[in-house]
Amino acid sequence: MSKRDSAGNTQRGAAVRARGVPAVKDGSALISTTPEWLALEEHVKNDIEKTHLRDLIMDKERCDGLTVEYNGVYCDFARQRVTKETMAKLYQLAEAAGLKAKIGAMFAGETINSTEDRAVLHVATRAPRNKVINVDGKNVVKDVWDVLDKVKDFSEKVRNGEWLGATGKPLTNVVAVGIGGSFLGPLFVHTALKTCGEASQGAGGRQLRFLANVDPVDVARALNGLDPETTLVVVVSKTFTTAETMLNARTVRQWIIASLGKEAVSKHMVAVSTNLKLVSEFGIDPDNAFAFWDWVGGRYSVCSAVGMLPLSLQYGFDTMEKFLEGAWNIDEHFATAPFEENLPVTLGMLSVFNVSFLNCPARAILPYTQALAKLAPHIQQVAMESNGKGVSIDGTKLPFATGEIDFGEPGTNGQHSFYQLIHQGRTIPCDFIGIIKSQQSVYLKGEIVSNHDELMCNFFAQADALAVGKSAVELRAESVPDHLIPHKTFTGNRPSLSIMLPQLNAYTTGQLLALYEHRVAVQGFVWGLNSFDQWGVELGKQLASKVRTNMNQKRTKGEKLTPMDGFNPSTTALLNRYLEGKAQLKYTEPMDVFPCTLIDSDECRPPTSYV
């Protein structure tokens, strides 16, 4: 029998289920048809809409009950628009969605990514050596540690000078070439650790840079001031066919060849890839290729060689092993803790509540530490590529909202940027992330608080300002003129949660990464999505291939596009305008032009000449 959702659409049953993905408990394909979902909708209408956070936050018993702590990670969600009853209903919804079974299926290596016929096992990339996680009857943890041991051996050889460049000089500079998850995750971790005392000690005299964008400006900036003789390039591409990455890799390869000769490539370039044939054809010794697997999605790959190789070259493998241990600590917690004590489950269910029941379309990630400046861009990909879906895992169109628009900036920078909208515009739930012990301690004589204390004063104040707001009555008591009262009124009742870590180091960075990864998975599991594919990125790539072919043909022949080339009038006009503006570039006579003859600018200078 088919059922009709609240919008009147016929929904097919769950006769076809993805392998490893249990259905909701009543057999329905959609979680929104369950009594638990409907009970939450009624609860919001009858109870939550009649409350205000300025009142809820004064209830000590409620506040005490709305915190979860695990191994130093402390989360206070008393400023969410929830009560104890709300949380009980959310956990019941998680049970109705079969969340426990879905988590178990993921950790067991079952094929839960059904559209790509793959397991989802980024947790295996940080599992202890003695752990057993099977995929198709094979313990993949052994494979993981074979690669990690290779990463350790190679990174130590480079760092101690045993592996030298083509001219006999130590390789002290590393450029990691990759895009998407091959870039954002490692960059987040690198930014978190480079001002950490214990991590930075291992990075003395070394540089790590990233090259992601195919824009030649990014190439020029990534190579700015570097000497090819002391530079090692890590090319990260699972298939070794990613268009942007491989063009950047060929560009940097030519930069090395121009200075050191073709034979230097094998000493100055290594790969993270599974395609050994293409690695070899590129000029990289296959022995210097580091594997990863199709059960590791790109946005979840930072704990594999994708991140571990460049980060171990910079900080040392021992430091990065602590990062893996921190991530695994949260992995085990996620897999075993009861829902009420489970940090990722609790945070994930709160996000489901904000998106699907309170109709909040976005989330702000606001770390009150500059070291987490690249957390929001990484989680933006993890969350939005995972849960930016409009159909369920079995292809049913969803009648409810999923996913969030993630953005963020470190405090207090964000306060002087977009907090105006957060306080008096749209309601955007916020994650405030604070560190108890700063990586860098500064206290000036005569100041009443340290620099870090000043930062954290804002961490505490902003969450309360969003929750409590400021009323017209309070403003009049302060003698604010009547004509300004509407402008200075803060409605409050804007949800946030506060996460505090004891300090930010390799271990806690791993914890934070896993916390957000699993929070995203919880949302997808409850909504009934496949959070581990990303078909939405494919169409643009296909169309870009068509543009690329036509651009080459028209530039080579000196022609303009016409309607016969198959583009719409707008795209045809845009392409012709672009081609006309760069008529000096001809592809008929190939030549290496890097970078000034490629960038039409009087200000262009070779990378090594920048001041």
Side-chain angles (χ1 to χ4, degrees), residues 233-447:
V233 179
V234 180
V235 183
V236 184
S237 175
K238 183 183 293 185
T239 62
F240 234 59
T241 59
T242 307
E244 303 97 325
T245 296
M246 295 318 299
L247 179 54
N248 277 337
R250 291 190 295 271
T251 304
V252 179
R253 178 180 62 181
Q254 184 57 36
W255 176 72
I256 292 171
I257 291 173
S259 178
L260 304 176
K262 189 174 182 179
E263 65 282 354
V265 171
S266 62
K267 277 290 188 180
H268 289 262
M269 299 189 79
V270 298
V272 179
S273 179
T274 58
N275 194 331
L276 297 183
K277 180 177 182 292
L278 291 185
V279 167
S280 178
E281 291 176 0
F282 186 87
I284 295 174
D285 186 340
D287 288 340
N288 298 328
F290 298 80
F292 62 121
W293 308 270
D294 64 5
W295 39 259
V296 182
R299 57 191 175 274
Y300 296 99
S301 65
V302 64
C303 294
S304 72
V306 168
M308 285 296 290
L309 179 56
L311 292 165
S312 294
L313 286 164
Q314 178 69 7
Y315 297 107
F317 185 85
D318 289 347
T319 292
M320 295 315 304
E321 191 171 11
K322 294 176 184 176
F323 165 71
L324 298 181
E325 291 169 357
W328 178 254
N329 175 254
I330 296 297
D331 292 342
E332 282 199 307
H333 168 70
F334 177 51
T336 61
F339 286 173
E340 294 81 0
E341 301 170 12
N342 195 309
L343 275 166
V345 169
T346 297
L347 297 190
M349 294 310 299
L350 287 168
S351 288
V352 168
F353 184 68
N354 287 329
V355 172
S356 296
F357 296 93
L358 298 185
N359 301 313
C360 298
R363 173 179 61 184
I365 299 173
L366 309 172
Y368 274 66
T369 170
Q370 193 64 31
L372 291 178
K374 297 301 180 181
L375 172 64
H378 177 48
I379 301 307
Q380 189 175 65
Q381 185 200 11
V382 171
M384 295 173 70
E385 199 168 71
S386 294
N387 291 336
K389 312 289 171 62
V391 298
S392 69
I393 195 167
D394 61 8
T396 304
K397 186 176 180 179
L398 297 174
F400 52 86
T402 66
E404 297 153 308
I405 302 167
D406 281 295
F407 70 99
E409 184 72 19
T412 57
N413 294 356
Q415 294 173 201
H416 297 271
S417 174
F418 51 78
Y419 277 36
Q420 167 64 44
L421 184 148
I422 290 174
H423 280 289
Q424 291 185 310
R426 295 173 181 267
T427 297
I428 298 176
C430 299
D431 291 359
F432 290 97
I433 304 170
I435 311 297
I436 294 174
K437 183 179 179 182
S438 175
Q439 289 181 339
Q440 304 290 324
S441 182
V442 176
Y443 179 42
L444 300 181
K445 183 179 180 181
E447 300 288 344

Side-chain angles (χ1 to χ4, degrees), residues 54 75 199 212 223 243 299 312 380 438 460 522 563 600 602:
R54 73 166 60 96
C75 181
L223 301 182
R299 57 191 175 274
S312 294
Q380 189 175 65
S438 175
F460 298 115
V522 167
D600 185 18
D602 293 334

Side-chain angles (χ1 to χ4, degrees), residues 150-160 312-313 317:
K150 186 176 180 179
V151 167
K152 179 179 182 180
D153 179 66
F154 179 76
S155 61
E156 288 179 350
K157 285 180 178 178
V158 172
R159 288 169 56 82
N160 66 24
S312 294
L313 286 164
F317 185 85

Side-chain angles (χ1 to χ4, degrees), residues 69-74 107 123 125-128 303 321-337 341-344 501-502 506-515 517-518:
E69 180 176 8
Y70 175 72
N71 196 23
V73 182
Y74 181 84
F107 276 80
V123 295
T125 62
R126 56 255 193 158
C303 294
E321 191 171 11
K322 294 176 184 176
F323 165 71
L324 298 181
E325 291 169 357
W328 178 254
N329 175 254
I330 296 297
D331 292 342
E332 282 199 307
H333 168 70
F334 177 51
T336 61
E341 301 170 12
N342 195 309
L343 275 166
L501 302 175
Y507 186 87
T508 56
T509 299
Q511 287 182 305
L512 190 62
L513 171 75
L515 175 61
E517 287 179 343
H518 297 322

Side-chain angles (χ1 to χ4, degrees), residues 17 59 107 219 246 295 309 453 486 552:
R17 297 301 307 171
D59 183 339
F107 276 80
V219 177
M246 295 318 299
W295 39 259
L309 179 56
D453 285 345
N552 176 278

Side-chain angles (χ1 to χ4, degrees), residues 463-539:
D464 277 346
L466 287 167
V468 176
K470 196 164 189 176
S471 68
V473 173
E474 292 171 299
L475 291 168
R476 288 192 179 93
E478 296 175 359
S479 301
V480 174
D482 285 349
H483 72 281
L484 287 180
I485 286 177
H487 301 282
K488 291 193 171 188
T489 297
F490 292 76
T491 59
N493 212 28
R494 295 166 183 261
S496 70
L497 59 84
S498 301
I499 299 170
M500 283 205 297
L501 302 175
Q503 56 187 318
L504 187 64
N505 53 29
Y507 186 87
T508 56
T509 299
Q511 287 182 305
L512 190 62
L513 171 75
L515 175 61
Y516 271 91
E517 287 179 343
H518 297 322
R519 176 184 185 176
V520 167
V522 167
Q523 292 172 255
F525 285 150
V526 171
W527 282 324
L529 310 177
N530 183 355
S531 297
F532 307 104
D533 63 8
Q534 55 283 325
W535 297 107
V537 307
E538 296 300 323
L539 179 58

